[in-house]
Short mmCIF file of all heavy atoms in Angstrom, two decimals:
data_model
loop_
_atom_site.label_atom_id
_atom_site.label_comp_id
_atom_site.label_asym_id
_atom_site.label_seq_id
_atom_site.Cartn_x
_atom_site.Cartn_y
_atom_site.Cartn_z
N MET P 1 -10.71 -116.26 -18.30
CA MET P 1 -11.13 -117.23 -19.30
C MET P 1 -11.68 -116.48 -20.51
O MET P 1 -12.59 -115.66 -20.37
CB MET P 1 -12.20 -118.13 -18.68
CG MET P 1 -12.77 -119.13 -19.69
SD MET P 1 -14.13 -120.10 -19.03
CE MET P 1 -13.36 -120.92 -17.67
N PRO P 2 -11.15 -116.71 -21.69
CA PRO P 2 -11.63 -116.00 -22.88
C PRO P 2 -13.05 -116.45 -23.26
O PRO P 2 -13.42 -117.59 -23.05
CB PRO P 2 -10.63 -116.37 -23.98
CG PRO P 2 -9.99 -117.60 -23.52
CD PRO P 2 -10.05 -117.62 -22.01
N THR P 3 -13.79 -115.50 -23.76
CA THR P 3 -15.15 -115.85 -24.21
C THR P 3 -15.16 -115.80 -25.74
O THR P 3 -14.38 -115.10 -26.36
CB THR P 3 -16.19 -114.85 -23.68
OG1 THR P 3 -15.84 -113.53 -24.11
CG2 THR P 3 -16.26 -114.89 -22.15
N CYS P 4 -16.02 -116.57 -26.29
CA CYS P 4 -16.14 -116.63 -27.77
C CYS P 4 -17.30 -115.76 -28.20
O CYS P 4 -18.45 -116.07 -27.90
CB CYS P 4 -16.34 -118.08 -28.19
SG CYS P 4 -16.44 -118.28 -29.97
N LEU P 5 -17.00 -114.68 -28.88
CA LEU P 5 -18.04 -113.80 -29.38
C LEU P 5 -18.36 -114.16 -30.83
O LEU P 5 -17.43 -114.47 -31.60
CB LEU P 5 -17.59 -112.32 -29.33
CG LEU P 5 -17.37 -111.75 -27.94
CD1 LEU P 5 -16.81 -110.34 -28.05
CD2 LEU P 5 -18.66 -111.74 -27.15
N PRO P 6 -19.60 -114.12 -31.21
CA PRO P 6 -19.93 -114.42 -32.58
C PRO P 6 -19.40 -113.32 -33.51
O PRO P 6 -19.28 -112.18 -33.13
CB PRO P 6 -21.46 -114.46 -32.60
CG PRO P 6 -21.88 -113.68 -31.40
CD PRO P 6 -20.77 -113.81 -30.40
N SER P 7 -19.05 -113.72 -34.70
CA SER P 7 -18.57 -112.74 -35.67
C SER P 7 -19.76 -111.91 -36.16
O SER P 7 -20.91 -112.22 -35.91
CB SER P 7 -17.92 -113.45 -36.86
OG SER P 7 -18.91 -114.15 -37.62
N VAL P 8 -19.43 -110.85 -36.87
CA VAL P 8 -20.50 -109.97 -37.40
C VAL P 8 -21.39 -110.72 -38.37
O VAL P 8 -22.62 -110.58 -38.33
CB VAL P 8 -19.88 -108.71 -38.06
CG1 VAL P 8 -20.96 -107.92 -38.78
CG2 VAL P 8 -19.17 -107.86 -37.04
N SER P 9 -20.81 -111.59 -39.19
CA SER P 9 -21.63 -112.36 -40.13
C SER P 9 -22.56 -113.29 -39.38
O SER P 9 -23.70 -113.48 -39.78
CB SER P 9 -20.78 -113.11 -41.14
OG SER P 9 -19.94 -114.04 -40.47
N ASP P 10 -22.07 -113.88 -38.27
CA ASP P 10 -22.94 -114.71 -37.46
C ASP P 10 -24.05 -113.88 -36.85
O ASP P 10 -25.20 -114.32 -36.79
CB ASP P 10 -22.14 -115.37 -36.30
CG ASP P 10 -21.20 -116.44 -36.78
OD1 ASP P 10 -21.39 -116.96 -37.91
OD2 ASP P 10 -20.26 -116.75 -36.04
N ARG P 11 -23.72 -112.68 -36.41
CA ARG P 11 -24.73 -111.80 -35.81
C ARG P 11 -25.77 -111.40 -36.87
O ARG P 11 -26.93 -111.32 -36.57
CB ARG P 11 -24.08 -110.54 -35.25
CG ARG P 11 -23.23 -110.78 -34.02
CD ARG P 11 -24.03 -111.10 -32.78
NE ARG P 11 -24.94 -110.00 -32.50
CZ ARG P 11 -26.14 -110.15 -31.95
NH1 ARG P 11 -26.57 -111.31 -31.60
NH2 ARG P 11 -26.90 -109.11 -31.73
N GLU P 12 -25.30 -111.17 -38.10
CA GLU P 12 -26.26 -110.82 -39.16
C GLU P 12 -27.22 -111.98 -39.42
O GLU P 12 -28.40 -111.76 -39.61
CB GLU P 12 -25.51 -110.42 -40.42
CG GLU P 12 -24.81 -109.10 -40.33
CD GLU P 12 -23.89 -108.81 -41.49
OE1 GLU P 12 -23.71 -109.69 -42.35
OE2 GLU P 12 -23.35 -107.71 -41.52
N SER P 13 -26.69 -113.19 -39.44
CA SER P 13 -27.55 -114.37 -39.61
C SER P 13 -28.55 -114.48 -38.48
O SER P 13 -29.71 -114.78 -38.68
CB SER P 13 -26.69 -115.63 -39.70
OG SER P 13 -25.86 -115.62 -40.80
N GLN P 14 -28.07 -114.26 -37.26
CA GLN P 14 -28.95 -114.30 -36.10
C GLN P 14 -29.99 -113.19 -36.19
O GLN P 14 -31.18 -113.44 -35.85
CB GLN P 14 -28.15 -114.16 -34.80
CG GLN P 14 -27.28 -115.35 -34.51
CD GLN P 14 -26.34 -115.09 -33.33
OE1 GLN P 14 -26.31 -114.01 -32.75
NE2 GLN P 14 -25.55 -116.10 -33.00
N ALA P 15 -29.59 -112.03 -36.63
CA ALA P 15 -30.53 -110.91 -36.76
C ALA P 15 -31.62 -111.23 -37.76
O ALA P 15 -32.79 -110.93 -37.54
CB ALA P 15 -29.79 -109.62 -37.17
N ASN P 16 -31.24 -111.85 -38.88
CA ASN P 16 -32.23 -112.23 -39.88
C ASN P 16 -33.21 -113.26 -39.33
O ASN P 16 -34.41 -113.18 -39.56
CB ASN P 16 -31.55 -112.78 -41.14
CG ASN P 16 -30.83 -111.71 -41.92
OD1 ASN P 16 -31.20 -110.53 -41.84
ND2 ASN P 16 -29.84 -112.09 -42.67
N TRP P 17 -32.69 -114.22 -38.58
CA TRP P 17 -33.51 -115.23 -37.97
C TRP P 17 -34.47 -114.61 -36.96
O TRP P 17 -35.66 -114.91 -36.95
CB TRP P 17 -32.61 -116.29 -37.31
CG TRP P 17 -33.34 -117.40 -36.66
CD1 TRP P 17 -33.99 -118.43 -37.29
CD2 TRP P 17 -33.51 -117.60 -35.26
NE1 TRP P 17 -34.55 -119.26 -36.35
CE2 TRP P 17 -34.27 -118.77 -35.09
CE3 TRP P 17 -33.07 -116.90 -34.13
CZ2 TRP P 17 -34.59 -119.28 -33.85
CZ3 TRP P 17 -33.42 -117.41 -32.89
CH2 TRP P 17 -34.16 -118.57 -32.75
N VAL P 18 -33.95 -113.73 -36.12
CA VAL P 18 -34.78 -113.04 -35.13
C VAL P 18 -35.85 -112.20 -35.83
O VAL P 18 -37.03 -112.18 -35.43
CB VAL P 18 -33.93 -112.18 -34.19
CG1 VAL P 18 -34.81 -111.24 -33.35
CG2 VAL P 18 -33.06 -113.03 -33.30
N SER P 19 -35.47 -111.53 -36.89
CA SER P 19 -36.40 -110.71 -37.64
C SER P 19 -37.56 -111.54 -38.16
O SER P 19 -38.73 -111.15 -38.06
CB SER P 19 -35.68 -110.03 -38.79
OG SER P 19 -36.60 -109.32 -39.59
N GLN P 20 -37.25 -112.69 -38.73
CA GLN P 20 -38.30 -113.56 -39.26
C GLN P 20 -39.22 -114.07 -38.15
O GLN P 20 -40.43 -114.14 -38.32
CB GLN P 20 -37.68 -114.74 -40.01
CG GLN P 20 -37.01 -114.32 -41.31
CD GLN P 20 -36.27 -115.45 -41.96
OE1 GLN P 20 -36.29 -116.57 -41.48
NE2 GLN P 20 -35.63 -115.17 -43.10
N LEU P 21 -38.63 -114.41 -37.00
CA LEU P 21 -39.44 -114.92 -35.89
C LEU P 21 -40.33 -113.84 -35.31
O LEU P 21 -41.45 -114.12 -34.87
CB LEU P 21 -38.53 -115.45 -34.77
CG LEU P 21 -37.92 -116.82 -35.00
CD1 LEU P 21 -37.01 -117.14 -33.82
CD2 LEU P 21 -38.99 -117.88 -35.14
N THR P 22 -39.84 -112.62 -35.25
CA THR P 22 -40.57 -111.58 -34.55
C THR P 22 -41.60 -110.84 -35.39
O THR P 22 -42.43 -110.11 -34.86
CB THR P 22 -39.61 -110.53 -33.94
OG1 THR P 22 -38.80 -110.00 -34.97
CG2 THR P 22 -38.74 -111.17 -32.85
N LYS P 23 -41.55 -110.99 -36.69
CA LYS P 23 -42.48 -110.26 -37.53
C LYS P 23 -43.94 -110.49 -37.13
O LYS P 23 -44.72 -109.56 -37.13
CB LYS P 23 -42.27 -110.63 -39.00
CG LYS P 23 -41.09 -109.95 -39.60
CD LYS P 23 -40.93 -110.30 -41.08
CE LYS P 23 -39.67 -109.62 -41.59
NZ LYS P 23 -39.41 -109.97 -42.97
N SER P 24 -44.28 -111.69 -36.79
CA SER P 24 -45.66 -111.98 -36.46
C SER P 24 -46.00 -111.60 -35.01
O SER P 24 -47.16 -111.58 -34.64
CB SER P 24 -45.98 -113.47 -36.68
OG SER P 24 -45.14 -114.25 -35.87
N TYR P 25 -44.98 -111.34 -34.18
CA TYR P 25 -45.21 -111.07 -32.76
C TYR P 25 -45.23 -109.62 -32.38
O TYR P 25 -45.69 -109.27 -31.32
CB TYR P 25 -44.17 -111.82 -31.90
CG TYR P 25 -44.24 -113.32 -32.05
CD1 TYR P 25 -43.24 -114.01 -32.70
CD2 TYR P 25 -45.32 -114.02 -31.55
CE1 TYR P 25 -43.31 -115.39 -32.83
CE2 TYR P 25 -45.40 -115.39 -31.66
CZ TYR P 25 -44.40 -116.07 -32.31
OH TYR P 25 -44.46 -117.43 -32.45
N TYR P 26 -44.66 -108.76 -33.21
CA TYR P 26 -44.54 -107.36 -32.86
C TYR P 26 -45.30 -106.48 -33.87
O TYR P 26 -45.35 -106.76 -35.03
CB TYR P 26 -43.09 -106.91 -32.84
CG TYR P 26 -42.28 -107.55 -31.74
CD1 TYR P 26 -41.39 -108.59 -32.00
CD2 TYR P 26 -42.37 -107.10 -30.42
CE1 TYR P 26 -40.65 -109.18 -30.99
CE2 TYR P 26 -41.64 -107.68 -29.40
CZ TYR P 26 -40.80 -108.71 -29.70
OH TYR P 26 -40.08 -109.29 -28.68
N GLN P 27 -45.84 -105.37 -33.34
CA GLN P 27 -46.45 -104.37 -34.23
C GLN P 27 -45.36 -103.68 -35.01
O GLN P 27 -44.17 -103.74 -34.65
CB GLN P 27 -47.27 -103.38 -33.42
CG GLN P 27 -48.45 -103.98 -32.72
CD GLN P 27 -49.18 -102.99 -31.85
OE1 GLN P 27 -48.69 -101.89 -31.62
NE2 GLN P 27 -50.36 -103.36 -31.37
N ASP P 28 -45.73 -102.99 -36.08
CA ASP P 28 -44.74 -102.37 -36.95
C ASP P 28 -43.82 -101.40 -36.22
O ASP P 28 -42.60 -101.39 -36.45
CB ASP P 28 -45.44 -101.63 -38.12
CG ASP P 28 -46.06 -102.58 -39.10
OD1 ASP P 28 -45.69 -103.80 -39.09
OD2 ASP P 28 -46.92 -102.17 -39.91
N ASP P 29 -44.36 -100.57 -35.33
CA ASP P 29 -43.50 -99.60 -34.64
C ASP P 29 -42.51 -100.31 -33.70
O ASP P 29 -41.34 -99.93 -33.61
CB ASP P 29 -44.32 -98.56 -33.87
CG ASP P 29 -45.19 -99.14 -32.77
OD1 ASP P 29 -45.58 -100.33 -32.90
OD2 ASP P 29 -45.47 -98.44 -31.79
N GLN P 30 -42.98 -101.36 -33.06
CA GLN P 30 -42.09 -102.13 -32.20
C GLN P 30 -41.03 -102.87 -33.01
O GLN P 30 -39.88 -102.96 -32.61
CB GLN P 30 -42.88 -103.13 -31.35
CG GLN P 30 -43.79 -102.46 -30.34
CD GLN P 30 -44.70 -103.44 -29.67
OE1 GLN P 30 -45.13 -104.41 -30.27
NE2 GLN P 30 -44.99 -103.20 -28.38
N GLN P 31 -41.45 -103.38 -34.16
CA GLN P 31 -40.51 -104.05 -35.05
C GLN P 31 -39.43 -103.08 -35.52
O GLN P 31 -38.24 -103.42 -35.58
CB GLN P 31 -41.26 -104.65 -36.26
CG GLN P 31 -40.39 -105.40 -37.22
CD GLN P 31 -39.83 -106.70 -36.62
OE1 GLN P 31 -40.42 -107.22 -35.68
NE2 GLN P 31 -38.74 -107.16 -37.13
N ALA P 32 -39.81 -101.86 -35.85
CA ALA P 32 -38.84 -100.85 -36.28
C ALA P 32 -37.84 -100.54 -35.17
O ALA P 32 -36.65 -100.44 -35.41
CB ALA P 32 -39.55 -99.57 -36.73
N LYS P 33 -38.32 -100.43 -33.95
CA LYS P 33 -37.44 -100.19 -32.83
C LYS P 33 -36.49 -101.35 -32.62
O LYS P 33 -35.29 -101.16 -32.37
CB LYS P 33 -38.24 -99.95 -31.53
CG LYS P 33 -38.98 -98.61 -31.52
CD LYS P 33 -39.81 -98.48 -30.25
CE LYS P 33 -40.66 -97.23 -30.29
NZ LYS P 33 -41.50 -97.11 -29.12
N LEU P 34 -36.99 -102.56 -32.72
CA LEU P 34 -36.18 -103.77 -32.55
C LEU P 34 -35.08 -103.80 -33.62
O LEU P 34 -33.92 -104.09 -33.32
CB LEU P 34 -37.05 -105.01 -32.61
CG LEU P 34 -36.32 -106.32 -32.49
CD1 LEU P 34 -35.64 -106.45 -31.14
CD2 LEU P 34 -37.29 -107.49 -32.72
N MET P 35 -35.45 -103.50 -34.84
CA MET P 35 -34.47 -103.52 -35.94
C MET P 35 -33.43 -102.44 -35.73
O MET P 35 -32.22 -102.66 -36.01
CB MET P 35 -35.18 -103.35 -37.30
CG MET P 35 -36.13 -104.48 -37.63
SD MET P 35 -35.32 -106.10 -37.70
CE MET P 35 -34.42 -105.92 -39.22
N HIS P 36 -33.83 -101.29 -35.24
CA HIS P 36 -32.88 -100.21 -34.95
C HIS P 36 -31.89 -100.64 -33.88
O HIS P 36 -30.69 -100.44 -33.99
CB HIS P 36 -33.61 -98.94 -34.54
CG HIS P 36 -32.72 -97.81 -34.19
ND1 HIS P 36 -32.05 -97.06 -35.14
CD2 HIS P 36 -32.34 -97.29 -32.99
CE1 HIS P 36 -31.28 -96.14 -34.53
NE2 HIS P 36 -31.47 -96.27 -33.24
N LEU P 37 -32.40 -101.26 -32.81
CA LEU P 37 -31.54 -101.73 -31.74
C LEU P 37 -30.60 -102.82 -32.24
O LEU P 37 -29.42 -102.87 -31.87
CB LEU P 37 -32.36 -102.25 -30.56
CG LEU P 37 -33.10 -101.18 -29.76
CD1 LEU P 37 -34.05 -101.84 -28.77
CD2 LEU P 37 -32.13 -100.27 -29.04
N GLN P 38 -31.11 -103.70 -33.09
CA GLN P 38 -30.27 -104.76 -33.64
C GLN P 38 -29.14 -104.15 -34.48
O GLN P 38 -27.99 -104.61 -34.42
CB GLN P 38 -31.10 -105.72 -34.50
CG GLN P 38 -30.31 -106.90 -35.02
CD GLN P 38 -29.88 -107.83 -33.88
OE1 GLN P 38 -30.72 -108.25 -33.09
NE2 GLN P 38 -28.61 -108.15 -33.81
N ALA P 39 -29.44 -103.11 -35.26
CA ALA P 39 -28.42 -102.45 -36.05
C ALA P 39 -27.36 -101.80 -35.14
O ALA P 39 -26.17 -101.84 -35.45
CB ALA P 39 -29.07 -101.41 -36.97
N GLU P 40 -27.80 -101.21 -34.04
CA GLU P 40 -26.85 -100.61 -33.08
C GLU P 40 -25.95 -101.69 -32.48
O GLU P 40 -24.74 -101.49 -32.36
CB GLU P 40 -27.62 -99.89 -31.97
CG GLU P 40 -28.19 -98.54 -32.39
CD GLU P 40 -28.74 -97.81 -31.20
OE1 GLU P 40 -27.95 -97.40 -30.33
OE2 GLU P 40 -29.99 -97.66 -31.12
N VAL P 41 -26.53 -102.81 -32.11
CA VAL P 41 -25.73 -103.91 -31.55
C VAL P 41 -24.70 -104.40 -32.57
O VAL P 41 -23.53 -104.58 -32.24
CB VAL P 41 -26.66 -105.08 -31.11
CG1 VAL P 41 -25.85 -106.35 -30.84
CG2 VAL P 41 -27.47 -104.68 -29.91
N ASP P 42 -25.13 -104.56 -33.80
CA ASP P 42 -24.21 -105.00 -34.83
C ASP P 42 -23.08 -104.00 -35.04
O ASP P 42 -21.93 -104.36 -35.22
CB ASP P 42 -24.94 -105.25 -36.17
CG ASP P 42 -25.85 -106.47 -36.10
OD1 ASP P 42 -25.63 -107.34 -35.23
OD2 ASP P 42 -26.80 -106.54 -36.91
N SER P 43 -23.42 -102.72 -35.01
CA SER P 43 -22.43 -101.66 -35.16
C SER P 43 -21.42 -101.69 -34.02
O SER P 43 -20.20 -101.60 -34.23
CB SER P 43 -23.11 -100.30 -35.24
OG SER P 43 -22.17 -99.27 -35.28
N LEU P 44 -21.93 -101.85 -32.80
CA LEU P 44 -21.02 -101.91 -31.65
C LEU P 44 -20.13 -103.14 -31.67
O LEU P 44 -18.93 -103.06 -31.32
CB LEU P 44 -21.86 -101.86 -30.35
CG LEU P 44 -22.54 -100.52 -30.06
CD1 LEU P 44 -23.53 -100.69 -28.91
CD2 LEU P 44 -21.52 -99.43 -29.76
N LEU P 45 -20.66 -104.27 -32.10
CA LEU P 45 -19.87 -105.46 -32.23
C LEU P 45 -18.76 -105.28 -33.28
O LEU P 45 -17.63 -105.72 -33.08
CB LEU P 45 -20.72 -106.68 -32.60
CG LEU P 45 -21.51 -107.28 -31.45
CD1 LEU P 45 -22.49 -108.35 -31.98
CD2 LEU P 45 -20.58 -107.92 -30.43
N GLN P 46 -19.08 -104.61 -34.35
CA GLN P 46 -18.08 -104.33 -35.38
C GLN P 46 -16.98 -103.43 -34.82
O GLN P 46 -15.79 -103.66 -35.08
CB GLN P 46 -18.71 -103.69 -36.62
CG GLN P 46 -17.75 -103.42 -37.74
CD GLN P 46 -17.18 -104.71 -38.31
OE1 GLN P 46 -17.92 -105.58 -38.71
NE2 GLN P 46 -15.87 -104.84 -38.37
N GLN P 47 -17.37 -102.44 -34.06
CA GLN P 47 -16.38 -101.54 -33.43
C GLN P 47 -15.46 -102.32 -32.48
O GLN P 47 -14.24 -102.09 -32.48
CB GLN P 47 -17.06 -100.42 -32.67
CG GLN P 47 -17.74 -99.39 -33.56
CD GLN P 47 -18.48 -98.35 -32.77
OE1 GLN P 47 -18.12 -98.03 -31.65
NE2 GLN P 47 -19.57 -97.83 -33.34
N LEU P 48 -16.05 -103.23 -31.71
CA LEU P 48 -15.25 -104.05 -30.81
C LEU P 48 -14.25 -104.93 -31.58
O LEU P 48 -13.11 -105.06 -31.20
CB LEU P 48 -16.13 -104.94 -29.95
CG LEU P 48 -16.83 -104.26 -28.79
CD1 LEU P 48 -17.82 -105.22 -28.14
CD2 LEU P 48 -15.83 -103.77 -27.77
N GLU P 49 -14.72 -105.53 -32.66
CA GLU P 49 -13.83 -106.36 -33.50
C GLU P 49 -12.70 -105.50 -34.06
O GLU P 49 -11.55 -105.94 -34.10
CB GLU P 49 -14.62 -107.04 -34.61
CG GLU P 49 -15.48 -108.15 -34.11
CD GLU P 49 -16.22 -108.87 -35.22
OE1 GLU P 49 -15.99 -108.60 -36.41
OE2 GLU P 49 -17.06 -109.73 -34.89
N ASN P 50 -13.02 -104.31 -34.51
CA ASN P 50 -12.01 -103.41 -35.05
C ASN P 50 -10.99 -103.02 -34.00
O ASN P 50 -9.78 -103.00 -34.26
CB ASN P 50 -12.64 -102.14 -35.65
CG ASN P 50 -13.44 -102.44 -36.90
OD1 ASN P 50 -13.29 -103.48 -37.53
ND2 ASN P 50 -14.33 -101.52 -37.25
N GLN P 51 -11.45 -102.73 -32.78
CA GLN P 51 -10.54 -102.38 -31.69
C GLN P 51 -9.67 -103.56 -31.32
O GLN P 51 -8.45 -103.39 -31.06
CB GLN P 51 -11.32 -101.90 -30.48
CG GLN P 51 -11.95 -100.53 -30.67
CD GLN P 51 -12.77 -100.11 -29.47
OE1 GLN P 51 -12.97 -100.85 -28.51
NE2 GLN P 51 -13.29 -98.88 -29.52
N LYS P 52 -10.23 -104.74 -31.30
CA LYS P 52 -9.44 -105.94 -30.99
C LYS P 52 -8.37 -106.14 -32.03
O LYS P 52 -7.22 -106.41 -31.70
CB LYS P 52 -10.37 -107.16 -30.93
CG LYS P 52 -9.68 -108.44 -30.63
CD LYS P 52 -10.67 -109.59 -30.59
CE LYS P 52 -9.97 -110.91 -30.40
NZ LYS P 52 -10.91 -112.05 -30.43
N HIS P 53 -8.73 -106.00 -33.28
CA HIS P 53 -7.77 -106.13 -34.36
C HIS P 53 -6.66 -105.08 -34.25
O HIS P 53 -5.47 -105.39 -34.40
CB HIS P 53 -8.47 -106.02 -35.72
CG HIS P 53 -7.55 -106.05 -36.87
ND1 HIS P 53 -6.93 -107.21 -37.31
CD2 HIS P 53 -7.11 -105.05 -37.71
CE1 HIS P 53 -6.14 -106.90 -38.34
NE2 HIS P 53 -6.25 -105.62 -38.61
N GLN P 54 -7.04 -103.85 -33.95
CA GLN P 54 -6.07 -102.77 -33.84
C GLN P 54 -5.12 -103.03 -32.68
O GLN P 54 -3.91 -102.81 -32.79
CB GLN P 54 -6.76 -101.41 -33.65
CG GLN P 54 -5.81 -100.24 -33.71
CD GLN P 54 -5.04 -100.17 -35.04
OE1 GLN P 54 -5.67 -100.26 -36.10
NE2 GLN P 54 -3.74 -99.99 -35.01
N ARG P 55 -5.63 -103.54 -31.57
CA ARG P 55 -4.77 -103.89 -30.43
C ARG P 55 -3.76 -104.97 -30.82
O ARG P 55 -2.60 -104.91 -30.41
CB ARG P 55 -5.61 -104.36 -29.24
CG ARG P 55 -5.82 -103.25 -28.26
CD ARG P 55 -6.44 -103.79 -26.97
NE ARG P 55 -7.68 -103.07 -26.81
CZ ARG P 55 -8.85 -103.58 -26.51
NH1 ARG P 55 -8.96 -104.88 -26.31
NH2 ARG P 55 -9.91 -102.84 -26.38
N LEU P 56 -4.21 -105.95 -31.57
CA LEU P 56 -3.31 -107.00 -32.01
C LEU P 56 -2.21 -106.47 -32.93
O LEU P 56 -1.04 -106.81 -32.78
CB LEU P 56 -4.08 -108.10 -32.74
CG LEU P 56 -4.96 -109.01 -31.88
CD1 LEU P 56 -5.81 -109.92 -32.77
CD2 LEU P 56 -4.10 -109.82 -30.93
N VAL P 57 -2.60 -105.56 -33.81
CA VAL P 57 -1.63 -104.91 -34.71
C VAL P 57 -0.64 -104.11 -33.89
O VAL P 57 0.59 -104.20 -34.10
CB VAL P 57 -2.35 -104.03 -35.75
CG1 VAL P 57 -1.36 -103.15 -36.50
CG2 VAL P 57 -3.13 -104.90 -36.71
N ASP P 58 -1.14 -103.30 -32.94
CA ASP P 58 -0.26 -102.49 -32.10
C ASP P 58 0.69 -103.33 -31.29
O ASP P 58 1.90 -103.02 -31.17
CB ASP P 58 -1.08 -101.59 -31.17
CG ASP P 58 -1.85 -100.50 -31.93
OD1 ASP P 58 -1.53 -100.24 -33.12
OD2 ASP P 58 -2.78 -99.92 -31.34
N THR P 59 0.20 -104.42 -30.74
CA THR P 59 1.03 -105.33 -29.93
C THR P 59 2.12 -105.95 -30.79
O THR P 59 3.28 -106.04 -30.38
CB THR P 59 0.16 -106.44 -29.31
OG1 THR P 59 -0.83 -105.82 -28.46
CG2 THR P 59 1.01 -107.36 -28.47
N ASN P 60 1.76 -106.36 -31.99
CA ASN P 60 2.72 -107.00 -32.88
C ASN P 60 3.79 -106.02 -33.34
O ASN P 60 4.94 -106.38 -33.56
CB ASN P 60 2.03 -107.64 -34.08
CG ASN P 60 1.27 -108.89 -33.72
OD1 ASN P 60 1.56 -109.55 -32.72
ND2 ASN P 60 0.27 -109.23 -34.50
N GLN P 61 3.42 -104.74 -33.49
CA GLN P 61 4.39 -103.73 -33.92
C GLN P 61 5.37 -103.42 -32.81
O GLN P 61 6.53 -103.08 -33.07
CB GLN P 61 3.65 -102.46 -34.35
CG GLN P 61 2.96 -102.60 -35.68
CD GLN P 61 2.20 -101.34 -36.06
OE1 GLN P 61 2.04 -100.41 -35.26
NE2 GLN P 61 1.72 -101.29 -37.28
N LYS P 62 4.95 -103.54 -31.55
CA LYS P 62 5.85 -103.24 -30.43
C LYS P 62 6.88 -104.34 -30.22
O LYS P 62 7.94 -104.09 -29.68
CB LYS P 62 5.03 -103.05 -29.13
CG LYS P 62 4.24 -101.77 -29.12
CD LYS P 62 3.43 -101.64 -27.84
CE LYS P 62 2.59 -100.39 -27.87
NZ LYS P 62 1.78 -100.26 -26.65
N GLU P 63 6.55 -105.56 -30.63
CA GLU P 63 7.43 -106.70 -30.41
C GLU P 63 8.55 -106.75 -31.40
O GLU P 63 8.69 -106.28 -32.38
CB GLU P 63 6.65 -108.01 -30.47
CG GLU P 63 5.67 -108.12 -29.32
CD GLU P 63 4.85 -109.41 -29.38
OE1 GLU P 63 4.87 -110.12 -30.41
OE2 GLU P 63 4.19 -109.69 -28.40
#
């Protein structure tokens, strides 16, 4: 069953929302770590989207 992953722009919106919510709950060092992890997640999601796109291109070229 295919799953629906949010796009990078959706993830950025979610990251902004999470950032606003967490500012009052986390100390600065924890906030920095959280933002770093969020950036890593966004980067990995972008890589997955790129790989998915490349697979589609490769599949279409073989047909």
